[in-house]
Amino acid sequence: MSVPQSSRVSGDGVFDLTRTAVVVADRAGVTQGWTEGAERLLGYRVSEAVGRPLADLFIGVDPGSAPEREWRTRLASADGWSGLEAVRHKDGHRLDLELRILPVQDTEHGSARLLLAAEMTQTPWSGASRSFLEGILGMSPIGVGMVNADLRFVWLNDALERMGGINREARLGKRLGDVEPGLAVKAIEAEMRRVLRTGLPSVGYEYLGRPQSDPQREHAYSTSFFRLEDSAGQVLGVCYMVLDVTESYRSRQRMALLNRAAERIGSSLDVWRTAQELADAAVPDLADFVTVDLLDALLSGEQPAAGPVEASALFAMRRAGQQSVREGCPEAVVTVGERASYPPSAPVVLSLTEGNSTLLQTLDLDDGDWAAEDPVHAAQLRALGFHSLMVVPLRARGVFLGAAAFARWQHTGPFQSDDLVLAEEFGTRAAMAIDNARRYTREHTTALTLQHSLLPRDLPDQCAVEAAYRYLPADSLSGVGGDWFDVIPLSGARVALVVGDVVGHGVHAAATMGRLRAAVQALADLPLSPEEVLAHLDDMVNRVADDAQTGSADTAGNGVVGATCLYAVYDPVACSCTLARAGHPAPLLVSPTGAAELLELPTGPPLGLGGMPFESVELHLPEGSLLALYTNGLLMGKALDLDGGIARLRSALADPQAPLESLCDTVVDGLPGARPVDDVALLLARTRALPHTQLATWEIPADPSAVGEARRAAAARLAEWDLEELGFSTELIVSELVTNAIRHAGGPISLRMIRARALICEVFDTGSTAPHLRHARTTDEGGRGLFLIARVAQRWGTRHTSQGKIIWAELPLRPAPLDAPANDFTALATDLGTPSAFTTADDR
């Protein structure tokens, strides 16, 4: 290995780097690399050294011996090792060496160890084990430099010379700021001083800068600093190792930027807002100035033509969004909403007519037809210093909607091909959102009438919660919007609370909203958990989309692409609430004391994605808890500030015991702007707890003789509740339900009666088979129980639990006309064609 004269360091003598050994080994201590310096120092040729354990070469010990284990410990140390060691030359004579073992991370070979060895007699700074031994890294692909205590260069390797673009002669004796002013000099030198002061190494310190080798492009570096000391502990300076991690840094930045763009672009079904979101998301991280121009036909509600755009259509474009790093967008020649025109040779026109993205890494505004055809615009861009341009057509479902232009004027370097890929991803996301908004807007007026007919006119009577709502459409003239809500009474005095938002286009979205609301009402009475209800709704949305895609040419392609929904079931007996959501905002819960929190529910995918599971969460809600369910429009003002919307909602609901109508008014009055930017649905529900005096529960032995006792207990409780007029129907229901449970399910069995807005009788058993009505023959002795219950009950049904099932029946608190005195049961039973087994139940 030949060493340049500039690599010789003057001191008390001359340090000859050719007498220094550089050895590369893996973590197990097996030699992988052996330099000429190592051959001269120890006498072993490369063929003799590579593949042998380091301990064998340096101290000649057997595997498993104590010295060999000590070498393994040194090699395994994450911080490396340095010190003095007496070793044997190949011919047997002793060598006193200074050794330094350094852990090295190599992207190609993985983790390795670099061993530096030099004879003490050949190093003028014989005690500087951390200094001159690292100087041998001149052959390393990693940039290595050494500075003294004044932070002036005393040595650097070839890699660092290439990395900085300045030769070593120009660096030696100078500080970093003197030769590389484009780097973060103050921060780097501050880190060096910290290492000098504390002695603690700094590993993986990252910073950005523009080296002299590439001043037009910002680079990212990862650097490690180590303090250099002599054998007496005197500080000599700092050694640092540099890796150029620009590509990995840019990859991380692009991924982070894409994630942020995914969160910001397409937050609403508004064409103008989505176009502005695209511009906002790209500035300043991707470009210095961004414009979004859309075809006038799209903004007027017409159907744009498929395929590349005809040049004549480009004379009718409008600026839909723009953003700049300069305040006020001085680069723009038109404002948002105004017509934007381009000459035929402009990059925007060529991109739309040819259907491809355009990348101009170097933008020459003094040359080219389009600059001559549009001298005013070109002069303005020239004055502002633009040097690089990208144009991406906005295309969705084969339809061209417009184009987005990205420009740079700052010294961030020209756009690269990976920047174009990122811009196209931005454009794809924005184009899909814009196309969704376009389809929605085209038929919005027609859909409003249908939506109005599908919304609930009033809330039903129920005893589980006190409820109030507000519905505020973005289009205040029509009086309706695209969101929906519902309050659905369930069995067992429970109630379902539903809020949803259909995403789609015109009449199809409105029709789907009606189908979803009807489906929820039908599914609510089935023995399904909230997540199962959402799963059924998800299937339904997929079927609607499939039907639209496979329908006639007039309807194909206009299908709804999804919906969000929050479904909650509250039980006033247990004071528990089970909730699940499909891509919908989390509800706000306000405790009776006024503490407010967003419920942490599994998000779940929006309805319509298909095949993905939903999850539910069960919570205990004390009586008087206030649950706020809402759609996105309640949170989003013109600034699209979701956090601000949550803060406004918290403030408006600060007094959870205030009248619900007043709270609704407070929430609506606090919305920013004259009218909401999106439809608003708000449903407030204050929980109630069913008093124990309105609840009765009995455990029933699995014995036919227990039927009569259950009937008598029910009659006694009716007397306590002053409901003796319901005695006949109640005893009939209790008798039939308990008898069926004993015969077909077995124990344990329990009977529960609830006095709410209706009288509810429930029988719990461990069976899994649901009962069903069947037509009994005249000669059959049984099989008519459910016919009897259906005759006298207002509603009845079955719901499953984790322990079994519940068969329930409801009676209105006012007796129905069919109710009759107990001694008239025989006539009723005769009408139904059944023996009067009920009248003899007391005797069983």
Side-chain angles (χ1 to χ4, degrees):
M1 176 180 67
S2 61
V3 181
Q5 185 63 33
S6 59
S7 295
R8 300 179 181 272
V9 182
S10 296
D12 297 332
V14 176
F15 179 32
D16 186 1
L17 298 182
T18 62
R19 296 291 297 168
T20 303
V22 179
V23 181
V24 179
D26 59 21
R27 296 189 64 178
V30 177
T31 305
Q32 303 295 326
W34 190 262
T35 64
E36 293 179 4
E39 181 176 347
R40 293 190 186 97
L41 185 62
L42 295 173
Y44 295 96
R45 295 191 302 274
V46 175
S47 59
E48 296 175 304
V50 173
R52 291 177 62 180
L54 284 177
D56 185 16
L57 294 170
F58 278 78
I59 56 177
V61 296
D62 297 327
S65 63
E68 194 269 346
R69 290 195 299 272
E70 182 179 357
W71 268 85
R72 285 184 174 274
T73 301
R74 294 174 182 175
L75 291 167
S77 174
D79 297 326
W81 181 87
S82 64
L84 306 178
E85 186 72 42
V87 305
R88 293 291 178 186
H89 190 273
K90 179 182 178 182
D91 60 16
H93 75 269
R94 170 174 170 155
L95 294 172
D96 292 321
L97 301 182
E98 293 186 23
L99 297 180
R100 179 67 187 272
I101 299 175
L102 300 172
V104 178
Q105 291 293 333
D106 187 340
T107 57
E108 180 178 356
H109 301 99
S111 179
R113 295 296 182 269
L114 187 67
L115 184 144
L116 310 173
E119 279 191 277
M120 293 178 60
T121 58
Q122 297 298 320
T123 56
W125 292 1
S126 60
S129 61
R130 293 179 180 262
S131 176
F132 289 112
L133 292 182
E134 292 191 12
I136 203 62
L137 289 174
M139 62 173 292
S140 170
I142 300 173
V144 182
M146 282 186 261
V147 296
N148 60 18
D150 292 330
L151 305 186
R152 296 184 182 277
F153 282 98
V154 297
W155 188 86
L156 66 150
N157 69 349
D158 294 343
L160 186 59
E161 184 180 19
R162 292 190 300 271
M163 194 177 297
I166 301 175
N167 61 47
R168 53 172 49 88
E169 286 78 9
R171 284 189 183 231
L172 294 177
K174 296 180 181 179
R175 297 175 62 166
L176 183 63
D178 298 331
V179 294
E180 290 284 8
L183 301 183
V185 176
K186 291 184 178 180
I188 297 171
E189 291 191 345
E191 189 69 9
M192 289 182 180
R193 291 190 184 95
R194 187 192 67 79
V195 174
L196 280 172
R197 184 179 66 255
T198 64
L200 298 175
S202 176
V203 179
Y205 177 79
E206 292 192 354
Y207 57 90
L208 301 176
R210 300 177 188 277
Q212 293 295 327
S213 60
D214 189 11
Q216 299 301 318
R217 187 184 181 200
E218 191 172 55
H219 286 243
Y221 299 97
S222 178
T223 306
S224 298
F225 302 92
F226 306 92
R227 188 168 76 178
L228 302 174
E229 301 174 358
D230 61 16
S231 59
Q234 181 177 353
V235 176
L236 300 176
V238 173
C239 173
Y240 69 93
M241 300 181 178
V242 186
L243 281 175
D244 189 326
V245 294
T246 302
E247 294 308 317
S248 62
Y249 173 80
R250 287 174 61 84
S251 296
R252 295 196 306 269
Q253 292 295 100
R254 287 193 295 269
M255 184 59 67
L257 180 57
L258 188 58
N259 289 337
R260 291 195 298 270
E263 296 174 357
R264 299 177 62 180
I265 298 175
S267 62
S268 73
L269 288 174
D270 183 88
V271 171
W272 297 90
R273 183 192 300 179
T274 303
Q276 187 60 46
E277 287 171 346
L278 169 58
D280 293 341
V283 175
D285 295 314
L286 179 60
D288 300 325
F289 178 55
V290 175
T291 62
V292 181
D293 297 321
L294 299 180
L295 298 178
D296 214 14
L298 178 147
L299 296 173
S300 62
E302 300 177 15
Q303 174 73 19
V309 183
E310 295 291 335
S312 58
L314 299 180
F315 291 105
M317 294 182 69
R318 289 190 183 274
R319 180 62 47 82
Q322 59 189 18
Q323 187 56 272
S324 170
V325 294
R326 295 182 173 105
E327 185 175 356
C329 288
E331 304 92 335
V333 295
V334 298
T335 61
V336 173
E338 291 183 347
R339 189 177 299 275
S341 59
Y342 298 94
S345 59
V348 169
V349 175
L350 295 178
S351 181
L352 284 171
T353 55
E354 296 174 3
N356 299 315
S357 299
T358 300
L359 172 60
L360 300 176
Q361 290 184 308
T362 302
L363 182 61
D364 188 355
L365 294 171
D366 295 320
D367 188 19
D369 296 338
W370 74 275
E373 293 171 354
D374 191 0
V376 175
H377 192 193
Q380 185 173 15
L381 297 181
R382 188 182 303 109
L384 293 170
F386 283 99
H387 61 77
S388 193
L389 177 71
M390 297 186 297
V391 178
V392 174
L394 302 180
R395 174 173 46 198
R397 302 180 179 93
V399 175
F400 282 77
L401 311 174
F406 305 79
R408 280 181 180 172
W409 62 268
Q410 297 189 103
H411 296 296
T412 53
F415 288 116
Q416 305 296 323
S417 57
D418 52 1
D419 293 318
L420 182 62
V421 172
L422 185 60
E424 289 176 334
E425 183 64 29
F426 277 34
T428 298
R429 292 177 182 272
M432 290 300 296
I434 290 172
D435 192 53
N436 290 341
R438 174 187 68 83
R439 291 164 176 259
Y440 175 82
T441 303
R442 186 180 61 183
E443 299 180 1
H444 182 60
T445 302
T446 305
L448 292 177
T449 303
L450 176 60
Q451 291 167 336
H452 181 71
S453 66
L454 297 173
L455 289 172
R457 300 302 179 93
D458 204 355
L459 298 181
D461 290 336
Q462 43 78 37
C463 63
V465 297
E466 177 190 358
Y469 70 92
R470 289 293 184 272
Y471 196 93
L472 213 62
D475 187 348
S476 59
L477 296 178
S478 66
V480 291
D483 304 346
W484 101 89
F485 63 92
D486 233 330
V487 177
I488 307 172
L490 303 178
S491 63
R494 301 170 304 142
V495 67
L497 307 172
V498 189
V499 171
D501 184 359
V502 174
V503 177
H505 312 284
V507 174
H508 300 280
T512 300
M513 182 270 282
R515 295 167 77 173
L516 285 174
R517 182 170 178 248
V520 169
Q521 291 177 333
L523 293 169
D525 281 332
L526 299 178
L528 300 174
S529 60
E531 68 270 19
E532 292 174 317
V533 171
L534 294 181
H536 284 286
L537 293 179
D538 183 55
D539 291 339
M540 176 182 170
V541 173
N542 280 311
R543 287 195 298 271
V544 172
D546 291 341
D547 291 345
Q549 294 299 330
T550 58
S552 65
D554 294 335
T555 61
N558 292 322
V560 175
V561 299
T564 67
C565 183
L566 174 65
Y567 187 88
V569 175
Y570 175 70
D571 185 349
V573 177
C575 291
S576 65
C577 186
T578 305
L579 308 95
R581 60 174 174 154
H584 203 80
L588 183 70
L589 174 65
V590 185
S591 71
T593 61
E597 63 171 327
L598 279 177
L599 295 181
E600 295 184 0
L601 307 179
T603 303
L607 300 176
L609 294 184
M612 301 183 71
F614 300 95
E615 298 180 52
S616 63
V617 172
E618 184 174 355
L619 304 172
H620 176 74
L621 302 184
E623 184 177 12
S625 298
L626 183 63
L627 197 61
L629 285 68
Y630 48 84
T631 55
N632 264 333
L634 186 72
L635 306 180
M636 295 167 55
K638 291 185 178 180
L640 306 180
D641 183 9
L642 295 180
D643 293 336
I646 293 294
R648 288 195 305 270
L649 184 59
R650 289 176 184 267
S651 176
L653 302 179
D655 181 8
Q657 304 307 321
L660 292 187
E661 293 293 333
S662 298
L663 290 177
C664 286
D665 291 337
T666 302
V667 172
V668 172
D669 292 342
L671 292 174
R675 68 180 188 182
V677 297
D678 195 7
D679 300 332
V680 172
L682 171 67
L683 179 61
L684 297 182
R686 180 179 290 136
T687 62
R688 295 168 174 156
L690 193 72
H692 293 296
T693 56
Q694 295 179 225
L695 179 68
T697 304
W698 299 275
E699 298 297 327
I700 307 297
D703 188 332
S705 63
V707 177
E709 183 60 32
R711 196 164 56 245
R712 286 189 291 272
R717 184 51 60 100
L718 290 178
E720 294 179 17
W721 289 342
D722 196 23
L723 295 175
E724 291 93 338
E725 66 273 18
L726 300 181
F728 168 74
S729 300
T730 303
E731 290 187 48
L732 170 62
I733 291 171
V734 168
S735 179
E736 293 297 336
L737 293 184
V738 172
T739 299
N740 284 338
I742 293 173
R743 286 181 177 177
H744 304 294
I749 301 170
S750 61
L751 168 66
R752 184 169 77 171
M753 293 175 58
I754 302 173
R755 188 186 189 279
R757 293 188 180 272
L759 179 66
I760 304 169
C761 299
E762 298 178 332
V763 172
F764 300 73
D765 62 54
T766 58
S768 59
T769 304
H772 59 277
L773 290 169
R774 66 184 181 90
H775 297 280
R777 295 187 296 269
T778 306
T779 56
D780 289 345
E781 295 184 2
R784 301 174 180 84
L786 291 182
F787 279 102
L788 294 173
I789 293 173
R791 180 72 182 271
V792 300
Q794 178 178 264
R795 294 196 309 161
W796 72 276
T798 304
R799 68 177 185 269
H800 291 275
T801 68
S802 58
Q803 291 79 31
K805 68 176 182 295
I806 301 171
I807 307 178
W808 56 272
E810 288 185 6
L811 292 169
L813 295 184
R814 293 183 179 181
L818 285 178
D819 277 1
N823 56 9
D824 289 340
F825 173 74
T826 302
L828 177 61
T830 302
D831 289 342
L832 295 173
T834 180
S836 56
F838 171 75
T839 59
T840 62
D842 286 340
D843 301 329
R844 284 183 279 171

